[in-house]
Amino acid sequence: MTPDYVFMTDSDSDLPFNIAKERNIPVVKMPYTLDGVEHLDDNGESGQEKTLFKRMREGSVPITSLLPTAVYLEYFEPILKEKDLLFVAFSSQMSNTIQNVYEAREELLKKYPERKFMVLDTMSISLPMTLLLLQAHDMYLNGASMEEIEKWIMDNRFKVHAWFTVDNLIYLKRGGRITSTDAFFGSMLNIKPILTLGKCGKIVPESKVQGHKKALKTIVERTVANIENPANQTIIIMHADVEEHAIELQKMLEAAIPEAKGHIELRMIGPVIGAHCGPGTLATCFMGRERPI
């Protein structure tokens, strides 16, 4: 029996729209601006991400912004009028947006003191967050309480991984991840950073390699070293409009982890996340042992 509260998340999870619709998960749509026009991320329903990556390759610089407290109120209040609310949020360490979530919660609980409103910080983003929240939602469908889901997410949020590389260092430079000098010489030397979701809830650099092939090989090595029970989970290869490279990575993973064959899905990174990492980004996402760094 489904519990008498609402399980909700935001579009920075990159939760595919069809899965959200099938499971009846309300999703807060996060904003971004491309070529002077603001859009709301609909998690693939309109194919916005392909347009974004095309325009980025052509030189456009998309901008992301915080969702105002007033907009969160518009999402949350109709639910709290009727039911309690569990909101599964992307990492608090990647944006100040969660402060607006907390402000909205405080205001609404004053107005509806009989309600319960929990906010869970996943310390993740994009498709690793999707892996986490879908397992939590399975618990929800099986009747788990808000407190039981909170405990499970707190116990497992550092066990969801993303190991990835980017195609062009300029996007990391714009986001302040690397210096202009590093970006210049890295691009000249075809240096590929290997990055991961860290225990700090942010994207952190793990190493540098030279060339595309070495980058994929390193991602596979890190996946092998950290994954657990590959035959009993979904592994997601997320990519920023480079499906041919995602397929290449999939074949390498299946060779390295034969039991993962049939459990690997390819998915596109959404526009809000893609605005920061850029076209050509490629990653493996999975559940495993606790994040190493």
Side-chain angles (χ1 to χ4, degrees), residues 20-285:
K21 184 176 181 180
E22 177 186 323
R23 288 176 174 250
N24 196 29
I25 302 174
V27 178
V28 173
K29 295 181 179 180
M30 307 302 287
Y32 69 98
T33 300
L34 177 65
D35 298 329
V37 179
E38 185 175 78
H39 303 268
L40 294 176
D41 185 356
D42 61 12
N43 290 145
E45 185 170 10
S46 62
Q48 299 172 0
E49 56 276 8
K50 289 191 73 69
T51 300
L52 175 107
F53 294 130
K54 178 178 182 293
R55 291 296 299 127
M56 289 181 78
R57 287 185 172 112
E58 294 167 348
S60 289
V61 181
I63 300 168
T64 60
S65 56
L66 302 184
L67 200 65
T69 301
V71 176
Y72 280 113
L73 290 171
E74 291 174 2
Y75 275 105
F76 296 152
E77 185 164 15
I79 294 171
L80 284 173
K81 283 181 179 178
E82 306 292 334
K83 293 186 176 184
D84 296 337
L85 177 59
L86 178 72
F87 184 67
V88 183
F90 77 96
S91 177
S92 62
Q93 302 306 301
M94 294 189 190
S95 169
N96 289 325
T97 297
I98 201 165
Q99 298 305 321
N100 295 344
V101 174
Y102 292 147
E103 286 181 10
R105 179 179 64 177
E106 183 178 358
E107 184 172 333
L108 289 169
L109 287 179
K110 288 177 181 176
K111 192 171 182 179
Y112 305 98
E114 75 281 7
R115 293 290 175 216
K116 187 187 299 183
F117 183 177
M118 295 179 67
V119 177
L120 304 186
D121 180 359
T122 61
M123 300 293 272
S124 293
I125 201 167
S126 192
L127 290 159
M129 179 179 164
T130 280
L131 290 176
L132 197 68
L133 75 86
L134 286 179
Q135 290 192 54
H137 193 257
D138 285 343
M139 295 174 61
Y140 169 80
L141 293 176
N142 286 320
S145 68
M146 295 169 74
E147 290 79 12
E148 288 171 327
I149 290 178
E150 178 188 36
K151 183 179 187 310
W152 187 86
I153 285 184
M154 294 304 108
D155 288 347
N156 289 277
R157 63 183 180 171
F158 295 123
K159 296 179 181 179
V160 63
H161 288 250
W163 290 88
F164 64 102
T165 191
V166 298
D167 191 50
N168 193 324
L169 295 169
I170 190 65
Y171 305 110
L172 294 180
K173 196 257 315 175
R174 286 176 184 161
R177 301 290 179 192
I178 60 174
T179 67
S180 296
T181 302
D182 285 342
F184 176 76
F185 285 107
S187 297
M188 289 278 290
L189 298 170
N190 196 24
I191 297 298
K192 302 293 184 184
I194 304 301
L195 305 109
T196 189
L197 270 174
K199 293 177 182 177
C200 59
K202 297 180 180 180
I203 304 300
V204 294
E206 192 261 358
S207 60
K208 297 177 184 177
V209 298
Q210 189 168 24
H212 169 77
K213 291 288 186 183
K214 181 62 176 176
L216 296 195
K217 182 174 182 290
T218 304
I219 289 173
V220 171
E221 289 171 352
R222 300 298 186 269
T223 302
V224 170
N226 289 283
I227 198 168
E228 293 183 336
N229 303 315
N232 298 310
Q233 65 165 294
T234 298
I235 301 166
I236 296 177
I237 295 177
M238 67 179 192
H239 67 94
D241 200 27
V242 280
E243 187 173 7
E244 69 279 9
H245 291 164
I247 292 170
E248 181 184 6
L249 181 56
Q250 179 181 4
K251 290 177 180 177
M252 293 173 68
L253 266 182
E254 289 173 345
I257 314 174
E259 59 269 40
K261 194 167 185 177
H263 300 280
I264 300 174
E265 297 181 1
L266 274 56
R267 296 200 178 275
M268 185 95 78
I269 298 171
V272 172
I273 313 306
H276 293 280
C277 62
T281 299
L282 195 62
T284 55
C285 311

